[in-house]
Amino acid sequence: MKTRIAAVILSILLVAAGTGTFTAQEVKAAPNMSVILNGQALSLTDSTVYKSGGAVMVPLREVAEALKYKITYQGSTGKVQLSRVNEIIEFQVGGHEIVIGEKDKKKVSFKGAIETKDKRLYVPLSFLNSMGLIAGYSTGTNQLEIYTPEVAAGAVSMLLATGQYQELQTRYFNDKSGQMPDLPLIQKNWEQIAVPAGKYFGVKSTASDWGEDTLTIQSILYFTEAEAVLTLSLDSVGKITGLKLEPVAAADESHS
């Protein structure tokens, strides 16, 4: 049974030190790299973003505080727990996977390693993706973007609703993965479902599931005349590999 991650703005406070490896030869500063979290610039006052090998490393505390997680850290074991209401995420400093859920635990692996620098915990972008966040770095703009699933779903649906299909492809598709969605089919699918549904108003609710190296985000979109389900499939680097819009009734039947 899949573990559902309710896609709401999460809450954390993180103060943790760990045992991740870190060597000066592997580290390169990333000057002037801007960090955008849910569309807003994230201020990094006492830390920085850097590159370790080929991975972009992010200070977890700043991201965590902005997302408002609550955290428990066991210094003796290196175990960290993130929690909110009925959500629990655990990971081991020095490990390469997180565990989602308390009863129906689901393990999601991530590439790279957690590192400790100046008594701060840094994680690769793949760690954030394993949590269900959509995180990516653009070398062209030297910008790191992190979005929660509901914000990403809102941005994608707005691009669809305003006919900005090329912008959708530029921002959210990975042209190097070999899994590029068919843009004309996406446009046809949207117009067939959305046009009869009336004027688009926004996202009603969002939930996400981790499967076989794929994050699936399902959102209920509401229009003046009907509701529809937007299903997004994203790869391990947060790029869209599949997109489908269905009427609510049809979506319920296909997933029953």
Side-chain angles (χ1 to χ4, degrees):
M1 179 178 179
K2 290 186 176 180
T3 302
R4 279 215 158 184
I5 311 169
V8 294
I9 302 282
L10 306 173
S11 70
I12 280 190
L13 177 63
L14 180 60
V15 178
T19 57
T21 58
F22 169 76
T23 61
Q25 290 80 4
E26 297 174 335
V27 172
K28 294 181 180 179
N32 303 319
M33 182 188 293
S34 58
V35 180
I36 305 299
L37 178 61
N38 281 335
Q40 301 294 321
L42 179 65
S43 176
L44 303 178
T45 54
D46 299 318
S47 61
T48 186
V49 176
Y50 65 89
K51 293 182 180 180
S52 179
V56 176
M57 304 300 294
V58 185
L60 186 55
R61 182 175 66 83
E62 278 84 348
V63 175
E65 288 179 342
L67 294 174
K68 305 188 185 305
Y69 264 103
K70 180 179 179 180
I71 187 166
T72 303
Y73 174 65
Q74 298 178 359
S76 59
T77 63
K79 183 179 181 180
V80 182
Q81 183 184 88
L82 315 179
S83 61
R84 180 188 182 277
V85 191
N86 296 323
E87 300 173 48
I88 293 180
I89 299 175
E90 297 179 337
F91 65 93
Q92 194 79 27
V93 176
H96 297 278
E97 65 181 17
I98 67 172
V99 179
I100 302 172
E102 186 174 14
K103 294 182 179 180
D104 299 324
K105 295 186 177 183
K106 184 175 186 62
K107 295 181 179 180
V108 182
S109 61
F110 60 90
K111 296 180 180 179
I114 299 171
E115 298 181 348
T116 303
K117 178 184 177 185
D118 298 329
K119 296 183 179 180
R120 289 178 179 271
L121 205 61
Y122 288 79
V123 297
L125 297 189
S126 58
F127 177 94
L128 301 180
N129 289 327
S130 71
M131 289 174 57
L133 301 172
I134 295 88
Y137 168 68
S138 171
T139 55
T141 61
N142 197 32
Q143 183 169 281
L144 169 63
E145 295 189 56
I146 305 168
Y147 294 95
T148 52
E150 76 281 6
V151 172
V156 169
S157 60
M158 184 57 67
L159 290 173
L160 290 168
T162 54
Q164 299 184 67
Y165 300 103
Q166 192 59 51
E167 178 67 15
L168 174 68
Q169 176 175 301
T170 301
R171 290 180 59 183
Y172 292 101
F173 294 177
N174 188 349
D175 57 3
K176 297 179 181 179
S177 68
Q179 302 183 70
M180 282 278 286
D182 190 315
L183 211 57
L185 285 179
I186 289 174
Q187 180 174 352
K188 182 179 180 180
N189 175 223
W190 175 267
E191 292 175 350
Q192 285 179 334
I193 304 300
V195 172
K199 183 179 179 180
Y200 172 67
F201 277 122
V203 178
K204 183 177 181 181
S205 63
T206 302
S208 58
D209 283 312
W210 261 111
E212 295 287 335
D213 297 322
T214 299
L215 177 65
T216 300
I217 301 175
Q218 281 198 330
S219 301
I220 304 296
L221 309 185
Y222 62 99
F223 302 77
T224 53
E225 304 298 328
E227 294 182 347
V229 177
L230 176 66
T231 302
L232 304 175
S233 299
L234 296 95
D235 61 19
S236 59
V237 295
K239 294 295 185 179
I240 294 175
T241 58
L243 187 158
K244 186 176 183 181
L245 186 69
E246 301 173 278
V248 169
D252 291 340
E253 291 175 4
S254 64
H255 294 285
S256 61

